[in-house]
Structure formats: structure tokens, C-alpha cells
Amino acid sequence: MAINETIISSVVQKVVEQLIKAEKTQHQEFNGIYDTVDEAVENAVEAQKKLIAMPLEVRDKMVAAMRKGALDNNEMLSELAVRETKLGRYEDKIRENILCATKTPGTEDIQPFAKSGDHGLMLLEYAPVGVIGSLTPITNPTGTFINNGIGMVAAGNAVVFNPHPSARETSTKMVEILHQAIVDAGGPPSLISSIRKPTLETARQIIDHPKINMLVATGGKPVVKAVLSSGKKAIGAGAGNPPALVDETAHIRRAARCIVDGASINNNIFCTCEKEVVVVDEVAGALIKFMQETGKAYLLTPQEAEQITKLVVNSEGKINIAYIGKDVQVILKEIGIELDEKCRLAIFEAPRDHPLVWLEQMMPIMPIVRVKNVQEGIRFATEVEQGNRHTAIMHSTNVDNMTAFARAVQTTIFVKNGPAYAGIGLGGEGHTAFTIAGPTGEGLTSARTFTRQRRCTLVEGFRII
Ligand code: NAD
């Protein structure tokens, strides 16, 4: 066949197309961001196969690199998260990222268990589930990724994230950093990936994808319900409405300081933050006075409280999302109150049926409800938690009272005499989790949560004593 111009141009065109395709693939593999769920999942399946063929030593290196990547980019990520989502506070995002990078367990969490006896040896190992689909909230577009990313990969899985659409830029940056850290540490590309334009539709595709083996939803009730109705193994980390109960035996000044700090971190957007205070009448005045004395809490008059309520709760009785996660200065300015920079929280005395007692406000506006005595406080605080099984806090020096409340409220996290954030390891013992699975019961998730158990039994051998 004679080579003419048409053939040459067709060959050139094919070569150029292939080069573009190769470059695109390389680019996509490079940063872990995919246009479609299918592409992301197919690549995640391959990446996970490569991961389990690698030594655990490489996995540890990957985890160490992910921690470092998060810490090295902390300022940029925190600034971006606040700028994009317009929620929370820069300095608290910094704390959140340090917490997640340093207190999320790695492979030490999946140590096997062995039992030897008359019949030989039994070995229990925590095996990967495969590919996990993780749906993440707008409130923590950095912390959830660091925390889920380390835990899921340490357990030997790949993960495809569907970030909240309004936190897309931050989440994408976060995934790129974790992805790069893994590749630099010798791990396979696409172990952690995300969808370029996440939507409810891509969330649905992840939920339904036959090659996704486990779903993890961190968010409100609808997304938890969506993953639990999928027919797959699913972990649901849902909303909370954590009450802080203060009885007459508490160290009141300390309780006041803890509540102000706990409720105002990140402008109250952590799901664990104190959302209402329930206080025994005889110490209520002192508690409010000490809260004001921190210099970080402003006491609203009854009229101001009414104006603020009208502003932040809409006519349908729902939270006005325009004020979620905003600084207290921004919210109070709307009713003509100027606060100094140090202020973090507005507090007010509320009747029991006040909407902010029952709604998850996620803003630094805190209702305080008086009760006659601790028994009434336990009953009421349990009611306002609404069976979320999320978080509750108590300030008391009476062990019986604390035990009674813990038994009644049945939350995943119960903090005694500290800010609520101590319960996620910030100034409290224990590992951290930004996926707290109350509805499905895994509690503060970690690498082990993202595994399936496998048993190996050796009959009549390996008992050496
Ligand atoms: P959200 O439920 O609106 O969104 C969370 C994620 O789920 C997003 O990626 C969203 O796109 C997706 N989503 C929402 N509805 C869906 C549906 N029907 N089907 C499929 N996907 C869906 O939550 P948010 O406003 O981003 O975050 C705040 C909420 O998350 C609060 O209620 C807070 O308490 C909760 N939260 C819980 C935890 C926890 O560990 N328990 C941690 C952080 C936040």
C-alpha cells in the first residue's frame, strides 16, 4: 500500500489522541481526582489489590506520610476550608487537623488476636473490606479526610470520597495531598480518590456501585438513612444535640470555662459540641456569672434572645443556614450588638420548649435551661438528646449522679468535667475520630472499624507450653 498524505495524517491524529489520553490518565492517577464514579472505583479496585500485595512496612510509611502531608499543609488547608465553606474558625481548623493527623490510629489498631489451648491455635485477623465509599460533611472537609483516609488505608482498603458539594475545593486539595503522600511513600496511586464534581447523583452512584464493599456516611439523618438502606455493610455517623448537664456539686467556675470553650470551638460546628446547657437552679446564677467572667461569653437579654431566635430559626422552625458556623460577632451585629474580638459565644436563659434547645444549631448561640434538681436535669437532658446516641457532657463531683446520667442518656461519648471536645481526644485521653458512629454502634471509628474479621484455626499444634 502506498503511503499518502491521508494515511499519514490519520496516523498522526491517532498518535496525538493516544498521547492526550495517556497524559490525561497519568494526570488523573497523579492527583487522585476522577471525573466519574466508575473510573474512580475501577482504579480503586486495582490500587487496593496492589496495596494488599505490599509489605505492612510500606503501609506504615504511607500512614506516616499522610500525617506529615496534612501537618505540612495545615495553614493552607485551614484557610481554604474557612474561606470556601464560610464555617468555623481558622485557628480551630488548625487544631482539628493536628488532632486528626496525630491521634488517628494506624496499623497498630489492626493487630491480630491469637488464642492457644488444648485444641491448638486460633488466629483472628482484621482483613480489609476492599473499596470503601465515604460521604463526607461540609463541616469538616479536612479532618474527616485525614481521619477516614488514615484509618481506611491503614486497614488495607482503598477509599473513594464523595465530598459535600459546597466543600469541593478544600476536599479536592485535601485528597490530592493525601494521594501524593501515599505515592511518595511507595504506595499505589488511586488508593485515596475523590470525584471532581461531587453531587447527590454521584453519592447515589457510589452507594449503588457493585464494586464498593462498604459505605461510610458522616452527616445528617438523610445520608445515614441512604447508606443504611443500600443493602451493603454501612457505617452511619449522624447528627447529635449534645446537652451539658451541670449539677449543684460541680466546680462551677471550671464547668463555666469548659462549656464556653467546648461550645465555641469552630463556632459550634463539631457534631460533638455542647448544644444546650441544663443546670440545677441553685447554681444557675453562678454558672452564668462565671461564663461571663471568662470574657468570652455575652449574656443576651430576654429581648435580644427573642430577636436572635427570630433571626436564626426560620418560619418553618428550622435553623437558618445563613448563620451556621458564623462568628458570634457576625450574628449579633444583625441585631445591632457590637462585640469585642475576644467574645466567642452568646448565652441566654431559655424555657424548655425553646427551639434552640431542640435543634442542632451549629452556631455559637447557647440556650441555658434551669431545672429544679439533678433528677429532673437527667430526665430533661436525656429527652433533648433525642435518642441520637451521640454525645452528652456532665459537670459534677457526685459519682452517683454522673453514673445515673450516663446510664439514662446512652450516648456514644460521655464527657465528665471537661469540654465536649475532650471526648474526641482533644485534651482528653483516647484516639480521635471524626466519624462517630452512634446509629450503627461502631462508636469512634478507627482502622479496625473498616475491616472484616477472619479466623484461622490450626488443630493440635502451636501450643508451646
Ligand atoms: P449532610 O448530611 O447534609 O451531608 C453529608 C454528606 O452526605 C454530603 O457529602 C452530602 O452531599 C451527602 N448527602 C446528603 N444527603 C444525602 C442523600 N440523601 N443521599 C446521599 N448523599 C447525601 O451533612 P452536613 O450539613 O454536610 O454536615 C453536618 C451534619 O453532619 C450535622 O448534622 C452533624 O451533626 C453531622 N456530623 C456528624 C458527625 C459524626 O461523626 N457523627 C461528624 C460530622 C458531622
Side-chain angles (χ1 to χ4, degrees):
M1 183 174 71
I3 298 182
N4 62 30
E5 227 171 87
T6 321
I7 293 176
I8 292 174
S9 103
S10 137
V11 169
V12 169
Q13 196 181 341
K14 273 195 187 131
V15 170
V16 170
E17 271 170 16
Q18 272 173 6
L19 282 173
I20 291 171
K21 199 173 162 198
E23 201 188 358
K24 198 174 161 201
T25 310
Q26 210 178 21
H27 172 70
Q28 286 178 339
E29 281 186 355
F30 178 67
N31 67 6
I33 312 299
Y34 287 99
D35 287 328
T36 68
V37 169
D38 268 338
E39 267 181 293
V41 176
E42 291 301 337
N43 282 287
V45 169
E46 291 311 310
Q48 200 263 340
K49 280 187 198 151
K50 288 182 193 151
L51 174 67
I52 50 174
M54 287 176 163
L56 276 174
E57 198 188 339
V58 179
R59 218 186 279 181
D60 284 333
K61 283 189 182 146
M62 288 161 42
V63 168
M66 289 161 78
R67 297 188 198 283
K68 184 170 183 312
L71 293 173
D72 287 351
N73 292 282
N74 196 354
E75 284 81 9
M76 180 272 292
L77 289 165
S78 300
E79 191 275 324
L80 182 56
V82 174
R83 178 156 48 86
E84 184 187 21
T85 64
K86 301 181 181 63
L87 307 178
R89 307 181 68 87
Y90 170 79
E91 66 273 24
D92 293 334
K93 294 275 179 193
I94 293 272
R95 292 163 86 192
E96 171 182 337
N97 295 338
I98 294 173
L99 178 67
C100 289
T102 57
K103 289 189 86 175
T104 299
T107 55
E108 71 279 9
D109 197 46
I110 52 159
Q111 289 304 306
F113 171 76
K115 181 178 187 309
S116 69
D118 293 343
H119 298 294
L121 180 86
M122 186 281 286
L123 178 68
L124 177 76
E125 289 195 314
Y126 296 97
V129 293
V131 179
I132 300 174
S134 174
L135 314 174
T136 60
I138 187 172
T139 44
N140 314 98
T142 51
T144 314
F145 290 77
I146 303 167
N147 181 246
N148 276 195
I150 290 175
M152 290 169 182
V153 167
N157 304 292
V159 50
V160 177
F161 284 107
N162 195 67
H164 192 288
S166 305
R168 182 163 72 102
E169 200 187 333
T170 314
S171 311
T172 301
K173 197 83 212 142
M174 189 70 249
V175 168
E176 284 175 4
I177 288 164
L178 296 174
H179 183 269
Q180 190 61 46
I182 288 174
V183 173
D184 289 348
S190 300
L191 213 46
I192 286 190
S193 61
S194 184
I195 308 303
R196 198 180 307 281
K197 286 191 187 145
T199 58
L200 280 183
E201 176 51 30
T202 57
R204 178 44 58 198
Q205 289 169 9
I206 286 179
I207 292 171
D208 292 338
H209 203 291
K211 291 188 182 170
I212 295 255
N213 309 96
M214 177 191 260
L215 293 165
V216 177
T218 312
K221 280 201 175 99
V223 70
V224 170
K225 192 168 169 213
V227 299
L228 291 185
S229 333
S230 66
K232 291 182 184 174
K233 165 84 180 169
I235 292 167
N241 189 39
L245 175 60
V246 184
D247 77 8
E248 69 284 4
T249 72
H251 293 300
I252 305 298
R253 192 185 285 278
R254 180 188 160 122
R257 198 185 62 229
C258 289
I259 293 169
V260 171
D261 287 348
S264 63
I265 190 169
N266 247 326
N267 289 338
N268 199 258
I269 58 172
F270 283 165
C271 56
T272 44
C273 281
E274 291 85 347
K275 299 284 189 293
E276 57 280 326
V277 176
V278 178
V279 55
V280 171
D281 194 34
E282 68 175 272
V283 291
L287 183 76
I288 291 170
K289 179 168 128 307
F290 288 141
M291 285 171 100
Q292 289 175 282
E293 280 180 15
T294 62
K296 297 192 221 165
Y298 174 83
L299 178 65
L300 296 165
T301 65
Q303 292 88 334
E304 287 167 351
E306 211 181 309
Q307 282 176 287
I308 283 292
T309 305
K310 280 201 183 119
L311 184 76
V312 302
V313 181
N314 66 24
S315 54
E316 289 167 19
K318 295 197 173 131
I319 292 295
N320 181 346
I321 57 168
Y323 297 102
I324 290 181
K326 297 292 179 293
D327 290 355
V328 67
Q329 285 81 358
V330 172
I331 304 173
L332 264 61
K333 201 170 176 199
E334 297 275 17
I335 61 161
I337 299 173
E338 297 279 348
L339 294 175
D340 69 46
E341 254 183 39
K342 204 183 157 208
C343 191
R344 290 283 178 275
L345 186 70
I347 56 174
F348 66 101
E349 287 209 44
R352 291 180 190 204
D353 59 355
H354 193 283
L356 289 177
V357 174
W358 298 90
L359 294 168
E360 190 192 25
Q361 69 268 43
M362 297 203 136
M363 62 181 79
I365 309 288
M366 172 64 81
I368 300 175
V369 178
R370 288 178 189 247
V371 284
K372 259 201 325 270
N373 52 41
V374 70
Q375 288 77 17
E376 196 182 289
I378 290 171
R379 275 197 301 276
F380 184 63
T382 301
E383 238 182 275
V384 299
E385 207 279 326
Q386 296 166 61
N388 292 313
R389 298 187 163 191
H390 201 296
T391 298
I393 305 94
M394 185 160 185
H395 295 273
S396 173
T397 54
N398 182 313
V399 174
D400 291 343
N401 289 351
M402 289 191 283
T403 307
F405 184 33
R407 284 190 179 155
V409 74
Q410 289 288 317
T411 47
T412 303
I413 298 177
F414 190 81
V415 177
K416 295 169 176 169
N417 299 324
Y421 55 65
I424 51 169
L426 187 60
E429 287 303 321
H431 75 274
T432 199
F434 271 60
T435 293
I436 298 150
T440 47
E442 291 79 6
L444 285 97
T445 55
S446 61
R448 193 184 292 190
T449 315
F450 310 118
T451 61
R452 62 192 186 96
Q453 295 186 18
R454 295 184 60 194
R455 174 189 282 203
C456 180
T457 300
L458 177 79
V459 180
E460 288 173 11
F462 265 103
R463 180 169 164 85
I464 56 169
I465 50 172

